[in-house]
Amino acid sequence: MDLSFDSSITAKVVKAVAEFDLISDGDRLAVGLSGGKDSTFMLMILKIFKEHFKKDFELKAVHVDPGFKDSTAAEIKKFCNQLNIDLKIIETKIADYITKADAENPCSKCAHFRKGAIINYLNKNGFNKLAFGHHLDDAVETFLMSIFYSGQLKTLQPKRFLSNSGVEIIRPLIYLRENIIIKEIQKRKIKIKKSSCPYDGNSVRSQVRKDFANYFNDQQLFSNLISAMRDSDNRELWPENEEFQLLKTKMKKYWQKKGGK
């Protein structure tokens, strides 16, 4: 398999790794390999880094099989064999749970359970880092989702330490645009099997992606969104909500008639 990438691509990944201190000597690093284009691409990149980085780290692929009938496990095994990367497949019955008629938010629940299954495996086997294939478009989408659906300024972090498990989540592709990843996958004629999940494409993220597709193609607008995600002293936001009783007391002063009556 061709593992040669344009230097502009590897440079962006190295930039993320260096800027956010994502990989260190002695790391036991697992890649959350879903079988989709993003995690597939990331595994190839990290395979290159494993062979050429000055940092010495262990690399393993971990796939959580949710239990849908049309599994991608066979394709994932073949791909990891081509890269000569050790693979662990965790079989679960997540599909049985999220397809129940009364199950709400199936996508978020599935993601929660899959992450939990991987973290549990990493804890039992001494891995300290978990790499996810989220890219720059994912980060901007998350930023918009957070504003629209929770009223908060939040986005995907390049790295996040999970104190309850001791595992650190890292996102080495955080500076790469999605179209670059698609182009590289297609150039190598890697077949990405469509998800067998019946809810695929029906998530809030998918809707935001559709609604803002044209805006994401506007390079200046997209760059502005990226800038807005950064901590800055130039923000002119409202202050935090004032404590209700204090605010109520202050409001009464404005309605109080002259002379105290």
Side-chain angles (χ1 to χ4, degrees), residues 2-18:
D2 179 17
L3 288 180
S4 59
F5 291 94
D6 187 274
S7 60
S8 64
I9 295 175
T10 53
K12 287 183 179 179
V13 182
V14 172
K15 177 185 176 183
V17 171

Side-chain angles (χ1 to χ4, degrees), residues 41-81:
F41 176 83
M42 182 177 62
L43 189 61
M44 291 191 291
I45 286 285
L46 290 179
K47 172 66 175 179
I48 296 174
F49 288 3
K50 167 72 176 167
E51 295 177 349
H52 300 287
F53 251 31
K54 292 182 179 179
K55 305 291 184 181
D56 184 23
F57 64 96
E58 182 179 341
L59 181 63
K60 185 184 184 76
V62 180
H63 172 69
V64 176
D65 186 347
F68 292 110
K69 292 181 180 180
D70 192 14
S71 172
T72 59
E75 288 80 5
I76 288 173
K77 285 181 181 178
K78 182 178 179 181
F79 180 70
C80 288
N81 285 336

Side-chain angles (χ1 to χ4, degrees), residues 60-122:
K60 185 184 184 76
V62 180
H63 172 69
V64 176
D65 186 347
F68 292 110
K69 292 181 180 180
D70 192 14
S71 172
T72 59
E75 288 80 5
I76 288 173
K77 285 181 181 178
K78 182 178 179 181
F79 180 70
C80 288
N81 285 336
Q82 289 178 319
L83 292 180
N84 193 28
I85 291 179
D86 189 31
L87 168 68
K88 169 63 180 179
I89 295 180
I90 304 172
E91 296 182 355
T92 71
K93 295 183 179 180
I94 295 173
D96 291 342
Y97 175 76
I98 67 170
T99 52
K100 289 180 179 179
D102 60 346
E104 298 180 358
N105 302 317
C107 295
S108 60
K109 288 183 177 179
C110 181
H112 174 75
F113 289 135
R114 283 188 287 114
K115 187 172 83 169
I118 294 180
I119 295 296
N120 185 53
Y121 172 79
L122 300 190

Side-chain angles (χ1 to χ4, degrees), residues 110-149:
C110 181
H112 174 75
F113 289 135
R114 283 188 287 114
K115 187 172 83 169
I118 294 180
I119 295 296
N120 185 53
Y121 172 79
L122 300 190
N123 281 160
K124 289 181 177 179
N125 292 275
F127 285 84
N128 66 310
K129 288 188 178 177
L130 171 60
F132 283 144
H134 297 117
H135 45 67
L136 189 54
D137 293 60
D138 287 325
V140 174
E141 287 166 3
T142 301
F143 183 58
L144 293 174
M145 288 165 59
S146 180
I147 294 172
F148 295 144
Y149 295 99

Side-chain angles (χ1 to χ4, degrees), residues 194-257:
K194 189 179 185 304
S195 172
S196 56
C197 174
Y199 301 102
D200 185 46
N202 295 322
S203 66
V204 172
R205 180 178 296 278
S206 297
Q207 188 60 50
V208 169
R209 182 169 298 182
K210 292 176 185 177
D211 291 343
F212 287 88
N214 291 333
Y215 297 104
F216 276 33
N217 291 329
D218 185 321
Q219 187 56 51
Q220 183 59 55
L221 190 150
F222 192 81
S223 296
N224 289 343
L225 286 170
I226 296 171
S227 297
M229 294 194 304
R230 291 278 189 177
D231 280 332
S232 171
D233 294 331
N234 296 323
R235 285 185 178 160
E236 296 183 10
L237 301 176
W238 291 5
E240 293 184 9
N241 283 328
E242 196 160 23
E243 195 275 324
F244 177 72
Q245 290 300 328
L246 176 60
L247 179 57
K248 188 176 180 181
T249 301
K250 291 171 66 176
M251 290 170 66
K252 285 182 178 180
K253 293 180 179 179
Y254 283 88
W255 288 107
Q256 188 175 12
K257 294 181 179 180

